[in-house]
């Protein structure tokens, strides 16, 4: 090897070490705070771990008990699926509608964009959940204003048929992050497409379905996956607002994991519940990605 090539090789290795040094904080955090807990939780799911004794290996007993002898598991699964199916499409649709309004050239539009984004900054916080509870409790603000209109109030959080819908609205209300993405996508759509549509005599509704929606499908895909994952993991609303009630009508899966882990101290069983949730989320994510080739439009035809 010539001296010149040897020198280049040393420089290349030095650059590689510098690169590793730059990503070292992230790498350490990923290994210690994400990968290790992720792997150790699988081991715990095969044990009877609690806070008072060493874990004992019990094989698949936690999973067998979960599917065959735990009525709470199926109730929580049913409630969580309904919650996801209701909250995610409603949130995406609402975010798109607001983004289209925010895309108009109106006076003070930047102020309104900031205001509409605020709920997402506080998203998932206990304070926001408490606010929602104060709004929809029997003596809350919503019933108070309904009484002014002569409309009888409703037990929004105490009615088993209404409680899940009420906490689903909290998820929909935190639409700010999805709205910002849709707004960025709307600004990237070439104006020439709409001009061509108008020349061809297309109505606004037709241009919406044939130009706007296809151009936004990559953003819809991203929002769909992110909001679906968040909805499956929802915990704060069920814990703070309804405590899983009434009659376990809001017994979301995230709250059930917390309850088995910290109320009943069954850490091994809670780990098994977490792994089932992880598998369910992965299945839904893979299905959505596989189906995206049929409905997502990319400018580069998906080459990159």
């Amino acid at each position: 090897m010539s001296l010149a090539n040897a020198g280049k090789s040393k420089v290349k290795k030095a650059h590689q070490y510098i690169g590793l040094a730059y990503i070292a904080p992230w790498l350490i955090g990923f290994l210690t705070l994400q990968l290790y807990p992720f792997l150790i939780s699988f081991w715990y799911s095969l044990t009877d771990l609690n806070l008072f004794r060493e874990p004992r290996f019990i094989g698949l007993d936690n999973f067998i008990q979960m599917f065959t002898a735990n009525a709470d598991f199926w109730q929580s699964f049913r409630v969580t699926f309904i919650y996801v199916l209701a909250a995610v499409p409603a949130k995406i649709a609402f975010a798109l509608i607001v983004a289209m309004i925010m895309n108009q050239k109106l006076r003070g539009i930047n102020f309104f964009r900031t205001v509409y984004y605020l709920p997402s900054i506080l998203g998932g916080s206990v304070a926001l959940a408490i606010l929602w509870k104060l709004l929809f409790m029997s003596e809350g603000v919503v019933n108070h204003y309904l009484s002014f209109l002569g409309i009888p109030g409703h037990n929004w959080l105490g009615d088993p048929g209404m409680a899940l819908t009420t906490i689903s609205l909290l998820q929909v209300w935190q639409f700010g992050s999805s709205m910002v993405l849709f707004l960025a996508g709307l600004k990237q759509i070439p104006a020439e497409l709409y001009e061509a549509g108008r020349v061809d005599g297309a109505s606004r509704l037709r241009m919406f379905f044939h130009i706007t929606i296809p151009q936004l499908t990559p953003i819809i895909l991203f929002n769909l996956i992110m909001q679906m994952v968040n909805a499956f993991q929802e915990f704060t609303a069920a814990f703070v607002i309804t405590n899983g009630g009434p009659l376990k009508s809001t017994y979301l899966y995230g709250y059930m994991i917390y309850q088995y882990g910290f109320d009943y101290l069954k850490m091994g069983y809670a780990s098994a519940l977490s792994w089932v949730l992880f598998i369910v989320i992965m299945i839904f994510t893979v299905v959505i990605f596989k189906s995206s080739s049929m409905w997502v439009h990319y400018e580069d035809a998906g080459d990159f």
Side-chain angles (χ1 to χ4, degrees), residues 28-50:
I28 294 171
F30 172 74
L31 293 175
T32 58
L33 301 178
Q34 290 186 308
L35 185 60
Y36 176 73
F38 178 76
L39 296 177
I40 200 67
S41 72
F42 180 70
W43 161 247
Y44 288 153
S45 71
L46 304 175
T47 70
D48 62 350
L49 173 69
N50 62 41

Side-chain angles (χ1 to χ4, degrees), residues 25 38 49 63 68-69 92 101 124 126 128 138 147 240 264 281 297:
F38 178 76
L49 173 69
F63 294 95
T68 60
I92 292 175
I101 296 172
V126 174
L128 199 60
S138 297
S147 66
V240 175
Y264 306 150
I281 291 175
H297 168 75

Side-chain angles (χ1 to χ4, degrees), residues 169-191:
L169 291 176
L170 175 58
Q171 178 75 224
V172 175
W173 190 53
Q174 301 168 44
F175 61 87
S177 58
S178 299
M179 179 203 71
V180 170
L181 293 172
F182 278 132
L183 188 58
L186 287 169
K187 292 191 175 300
Q188 297 300 317
I189 299 176

Side-chain angles (χ1 to χ4, degrees), residues 114-129:
T114 305
V115 169
Y116 278 110
Y117 188 68
L118 282 179
S120 291
I121 297 175
L122 304 172
S125 70
V126 174
L128 199 60

Side-chain angles (χ1 to χ4, degrees), residues 67-117:
F67 286 107
T68 60
N70 187 349
D72 287 348
F73 172 77
W74 294 111
Q75 169 65 11
S76 179
F77 232 117
R78 187 183 70 82
V79 169
T80 305
F81 268 107
I82 295 172
Y83 177 81
V84 173
L85 291 175
V88 174
K91 185 176 184 178
I92 292 175
F94 195 62
L96 177 57
I97 292 170
V98 176
M100 294 187 69
I101 296 172
M102 294 295 108
N103 195 37
Q104 304 300 313
K105 295 179 181 178
L106 302 173
R107 179 177 294 181
I109 194 66
N110 289 332
F111 170 75
F112 290 107
R113 288 172 184 168
T114 305
V115 169
Y116 278 110
Y117 188 68

Side-chain angles (χ1 to χ4, degrees), residues 8-39:
K8 288 181 180 178
S9 178
K10 286 183 179 179
V11 171
K12 187 176 180 181
K13 286 183 179 179
H15 285 171
Q16 289 174 344
Y17 292 138
I18 292 173
L20 287 173
Y22 277 127
I23 66 169
W26 175 87
L27 199 59
I28 294 171
F30 172 74
L31 293 175
T32 58
L33 301 178
Q34 290 186 308
L35 185 60
Y36 176 73
F38 178 76
L39 296 177

